[in-house]
Amino acid sequence: ALAQVYLGRGRPNEASPLLQSAREILDRVLPRGHPRIAYVVGEQGFVHLAQRDWRAAYAVLQQATDLLV
């Protein structure tokens, strides 16, 4: 939630470590492919979009899609 606030306020560099921590925790406690993991991965993609890192955004958003499919 705090990461989303940072991202919404144009502060992707502050959102990124929070999302990374959330992803590491979720990877440990949820089964692979769980929708919540895909959601956090998607948010990481939006961080890359905000940073104008198009290649990283594409790769991470593709990973989020793969987790859901």
Side-chain angles (χ1 to χ4, degrees):
L2 182 57
Q4 292 172 322
V5 170
Y6 284 144
L7 192 54
R9 292 185 176 220
R11 296 161 61 180
N13 293 335
E14 294 174 62
S16 185
L18 297 175
L19 291 168
Q20 184 59 39
S21 294
R23 182 174 179 187
E24 290 169 5
I25 291 167
L26 294 175
D27 281 340
R28 284 194 307 262
V29 300
L30 295 175
R32 178 162 168 67
H34 191 280
R36 190 69 186 161
I37 297 171
Y39 175 80
V40 170
V41 173
E43 289 294 307
Q44 288 177 309
F46 289 120
V47 166
H48 291 300
L49 285 174
Q51 295 169 330
R52 297 180 178 263
D53 186 350
W54 313 125
R55 289 179 196 256
Y58 177 81
V60 173
L61 290 170
Q62 181 65 52
Q63 184 182 16
T65 302
D66 291 345
L67 285 168
L68 290 173
V69 173

